[in-house]
Amino acid sequence: MQLNVIKRLTTQPHMGIIRWNRSYSSVPVSPPPQQHNADYQELYNLLQSGKTSMDIKTLSKIHSRIITFSYGTSPSLMASLMLKYVHCNCRSIVYKVIDQVFCWSIDLVELNLIIDKLMRTENYRVAKMVFNKMRARDVVTWNTMIGGYVRKARFEEALRLFRFMNKSNVEPDKYTFASVINGCAKLGALKHAQWVHELLIEKRIELNFILSSALIDMYSKCGKIQTAKEIFDGVQRNNVCIWNAMISGLAVHGLALDAIKVFTKMEVENVLPDAITFLGILTACSHCGLVKEGRKYFDLMRSRYSVQPHIEHYGAMVDLLGRAGLLEEAFAMIKSMPMEPDVVIWRALLGACRTYKKPELGEAAMANISRLRSGDYVLLSNIYCSQKRWDTAQGVWEMMKKKGVHKVRGKSCFEWAGFLHPFKAGDRSHPETEAIYKMLEGLIQRTKLAGYVPTTDLVTMDVSEEEKEGNLYHHSEKLALAYGILKTTSGAEVRISKNLRICYDCHSWIKIVSRLLSRVIIVRDRIRFHRFENGLCSCGDYW
């Protein structure tokens, strides 16, 4: 069957264009002859060169030689060729190359290799085109696509594809589930997580240490720490990864003492902790202000277990000391580090400077961050605003504008009816906007009567108090919570996830809402979980 595809490429160098010829119905698919190995290596090196793009004339010559030497069934060459055409902005030719690949009887293994390379280079659209044209797919095909989406934080696409896979005639395996469970964990979508777990049981997939760790991590990050504990108690715990997942899960929920108990149990069961174990313990101590304990485990990792601290461990210690208000000690630790401090460490110090209103030290931290992000400018601006230094704060925003740095907008999500409903500050794009704002207005009024006072010094503008309050009322967390209360029944838990740290004003407001409505409200922010109940938060107002 003849298709309108690439049949032949001109080998006339002076033309530098692609010529389509319908008279060729096939291209040789036999393995490259031995004498052409040098040609193959040369073509491979050209396509793998450091240059991200090359002109169309050069590329067409390479394409011509690939066809001439019958290398069209080489997954590496064809995937690289597609990528080069993408970089040349020749997408129409990419589509024809894909058609060409399917004209040759290239086998499933080779197609899977092409998809893998395209996914690893973030060419999802091209990879999906190849995937959609495949007449047969095996579990490796699906795993490559799903795993690629998860690696690049495209979790919802990974879940959609997994649902599609379950309607196909290919059964998922433990590698499929490992990727999907990881995606659910990162997304924080509990309903999706529970469905995937049920399917894992239904398919009778045997738990290994990878899947056990992934399940513990998933339920921890979806706010179900008790379920994570139950899984931990019910599986074989002979691998350190399982202990690390449990300790890290307890850490993000602010359950430092529970994390320390797990560490003690780990020692009793003769499982040696590693660098990740200690990072989890130090993080747990940081979230709860356990400075003495943090110092103890930082020393213990070297003295008893001969685990040398990595830069992440120093970062956790700087965070621990900074959160506790020991900024000078944190700064001294940075200066004494045996390696160059990275931006994460300086940002931890900058965040502490925001909490304890230390602009001078904050400026020192900023000076050591080579590539400033929007969050760095915002933190410094907030320090000045909290001291009512409006002109200096405005100078920070002017600097951002001059350098073309845009503030990352906060986004909060509420999961309902199998979908994540995202909200941004002042968002009016939701189909139920009117009902959401009406609910929010009512909640604001009730909380004010119960003692809520807006924290207006957080607003980075020198405007009237009324305008500041209006700005705070429509934060993304408040909108997401209003929608959650609108959709759930009395007494039901409301779960919200946010891409940034929850702000002080929303934190105070949600505590009051939880008491007034007798609701459990769980918020997962960028740092940790906050469980609000009866007017209190699990973080103890320390985050």
Side-chain angles (χ1 to χ4, degrees):
M1 177 180 177
Q2 292 200 3
L3 301 172
N4 183 23
V5 297
I6 302 175
K7 301 301 183 186
R8 185 186 181 193
L9 285 166
T10 181
T11 56
Q12 300 177 39
H14 68 278
M15 294 187 69
I17 58 170
I18 296 171
R19 180 181 295 160
W20 317 107
N21 190 330
R22 287 180 177 272
S23 64
Y24 283 73
S25 60
S26 65
V27 178
V29 295
S30 57
Q34 188 67 34
Q35 64 265 32
H36 288 162
N37 282 348
D39 298 303
Y40 178 91
Q41 191 60 48
E42 182 189 353
L43 291 168
Y44 179 81
N45 290 340
L46 282 169
L47 290 172
Q48 294 295 316
S49 64
K51 296 178 181 178
T52 56
S53 62
M54 55 180 67
D55 62 82
I56 187 65
K57 183 184 289 188
T58 305
L59 193 53
S60 67
K61 289 177 188 177
I62 295 172
H63 193 166
S64 173
R65 291 175 65 189
I66 289 173
I67 303 302
T68 301
F69 294 132
S70 305
Y71 295 153
T73 56
S74 164
S76 291
L77 286 185
M78 296 311 290
S80 297
L81 184 65
M82 291 178 201
L83 294 176
K84 290 296 183 183
Y85 276 127
V86 169
H87 292 143
C88 281
N89 203 26
C90 298
R91 292 191 179 273
S92 60
I93 300 177
V94 174
Y95 305 152
K96 292 182 184 294
V97 173
I98 292 171
D99 285 339
Q100 184 185 61
V101 166
F102 281 92
C103 273
W104 298 315
S105 299
I106 187 166
D107 66 30
L108 187 56
V109 173
E110 291 166 331
L111 285 170
N112 287 342
L113 289 171
I114 288 174
I115 289 175
D116 182 59
K117 180 154 189 174
L118 292 168
M119 291 298 283
R120 287 184 184 278
T121 51
E122 302 184 36
N123 283 277
Y124 309 108
R125 185 177 177 184
V126 181
K128 195 170 183 180
M129 286 184 63
V130 176
F131 175 83
N132 288 339
K133 286 185 73 70
M134 293 172 70
R135 292 172 185 164
R137 306 180 185 107
D138 63 6
V139 69
V140 176
T141 317
W142 292 94
N143 289 352
T144 302
M145 290 291 292
I146 292 168
Y149 281 134
V150 171
R151 274 196 310 274
K152 298 303 179 183
R154 299 172 70 138
F155 309 121
E156 291 176 83
E157 289 177 74
L159 282 169
R160 277 196 294 270
L161 200 60
F162 180 63
R163 289 184 182 276
F164 182 28
M165 180 184 185
N166 277 283
K167 294 176 183 176
S168 73
N169 58 352
V170 178
E171 284 291 308
D173 63 10
K174 58 187 177 183
Y175 300 105
T176 322
F177 278 103
S179 290
V180 174
I181 289 169
N182 186 28
C184 289
K186 298 289 177 61
L187 200 57
L190 179 61
K191 296 299 180 184
H192 289 83
Q194 290 170 330
W195 170 72
V196 170
H197 191 189
E198 288 167 7
L199 199 61
L200 178 76
I201 296 168
E202 180 187 314
K203 301 287 185 184
R204 297 184 179 181
I205 302 292
E206 185 179 356
L207 291 182
N208 55 19
F209 75 90
I210 295 173
L211 285 175
S212 297
S213 305
L215 283 171
I216 293 165
D217 181 61
M218 178 181 75
Y219 277 111
S220 298
K221 288 179 178 173
C222 288
K224 282 287 188 179
I225 192 63
Q226 189 57 43
T227 306
K229 286 181 183 178
E230 290 167 6
I231 292 170
F232 175 77
D233 290 335
V235 299
Q236 283 190 324
R237 300 189 297 269
N238 54 358
N239 190 284
V240 68
C241 293
I242 295 171
W243 295 87
N244 290 347
M246 191 70 257
I247 289 171
S248 297
L250 292 165
V252 296
H253 282 268
L255 300 170
L257 296 179
D258 287 356
I260 290 170
K261 284 179 184 176
V262 171
F263 182 87
T264 304
K265 192 174 184 180
M266 184 180 187
E267 292 180 306
V268 171
E269 296 191 19
N270 296 315
V271 179
L272 282 175
D274 61 11
I276 298 172
T277 316
F278 284 104
L279 184 59
I281 286 288
L282 293 176
T283 302
C285 292
S286 176
H287 285 318
C288 297
L290 302 180
V291 177
K292 181 181 176 182
E293 290 81 358
R295 289 185 181 127
K296 169 190 166 184
Y297 285 105
F298 186 72
D299 293 335
L300 194 68
M301 64 187 290
R302 287 175 293 188
S303 61
R304 183 183 297 180
Y305 295 100
S306 300
V307 177
Q308 290 305 310
H310 300 168
I311 195 165
E312 293 84 2
H313 300 100
Y314 282 101
M317 284 301 296
V318 169
D319 191 49
L320 167 63
L321 296 168
R323 287 172 188 268
L326 303 171
L327 273 69
E328 295 301 331
E329 187 178 343
F331 189 63
M333 174 163 275
I334 293 173
K335 291 297 183 183
S336 67
M337 285 171 54
M339 71 282 288
E340 191 71 24
D342 63 4
V343 293
V344 176
I345 289 176
W346 288 114
R347 284 183 179 128
L349 182 63
L350 183 59
C353 291
R354 159 67 184 91
T355 303
Y356 292 98
K357 301 178 182 179
K358 297 285 186 180
E360 293 80 13
L361 197 53
E363 288 166 359
M366 286 275 286
N368 284 280
I369 301 174
S370 56
R371 296 185 63 182
L372 294 167
R373 296 192 314 205
S374 64
D376 305 322
Y377 290 103
V378 171
L379 279 173
L380 189 60
S381 173
N382 285 346
I383 296 173
Y384 294 136
C385 286
S386 66
Q387 297 183 321
K388 302 189 185 305
R389 293 169 59 181
W390 306 114
D391 290 342
T392 315
Q394 184 60 35
V396 175
W397 287 98
E398 289 296 329
M399 192 185 304
M400 284 180 68
K401 187 177 179 180
K402 184 179 178 181
K403 294 187 177 183
V405 178
H406 300 284
K407 182 182 176 182
V408 176
R409 292 192 67 186
K411 183 173 75 171
S412 299
C413 294
F414 172 71
E415 186 184 6
W416 176 252
F419 295 95
L420 286 174
H421 296 260
F423 295 90
K424 293 181 180 178
D427 201 341
R428 289 189 173 271
S429 62
H430 197 279
E432 298 181 69
T433 287
E434 294 305 319
I436 292 167
Y437 272 82
K438 186 176 180 180
M439 171 64 75
L440 180 56
E441 186 180 339
L443 288 171
I444 295 290
Q445 294 305 318
R446 288 184 65 181
T447 53
K448 276 191 167 184
L449 291 172
Y452 163 61
V453 178
T455 316
T456 54
D457 68 337
L458 294 171
V459 181
T460 55
M461 295 176 287
D462 186 13
V463 294
S464 69
E465 287 297 304
E466 186 178 350
E467 287 176 284
K468 288 182 181 180
E469 290 183 15
N471 178 288
L472 292 170
Y473 293 161
H474 300 151
H475 274 193
S476 63
E477 302 98 309
K478 293 185 176 76
L479 289 167
L481 179 55
Y483 185 63
I485 292 169
L486 184 68
K487 287 297 177 183
T488 56
T489 56
S490 177
E493 289 185 357
V494 179
R495 298 171 180 275
I496 296 164
S497 60
K498 186 178 179 181
N499 64 331
L500 304 176
R501 288 183 69 181
I502 187 172
C503 81
Y504 290 91
D505 183 76
C506 287
H507 192 273
S508 302
W509 183 76
I510 295 173
K511 283 200 299 182
I512 298 172
V513 172
S514 72
R515 175 167 55 83
L516 289 177
L517 302 185
S518 300
R519 290 285 197 108
V520 172
I521 301 163
I522 298 171
V523 178
R524 185 183 87 164
D525 71 8
R526 185 176 58 84
I527 301 295
R528 57 164 296 158
F529 275 89
H530 299 262
R531 181 185 172 90
F532 299 91
E533 187 174 11
N534 296 323
L536 300 172
C537 179
S538 59
C539 74
D541 298 339
Y542 187 92
W543 83 99

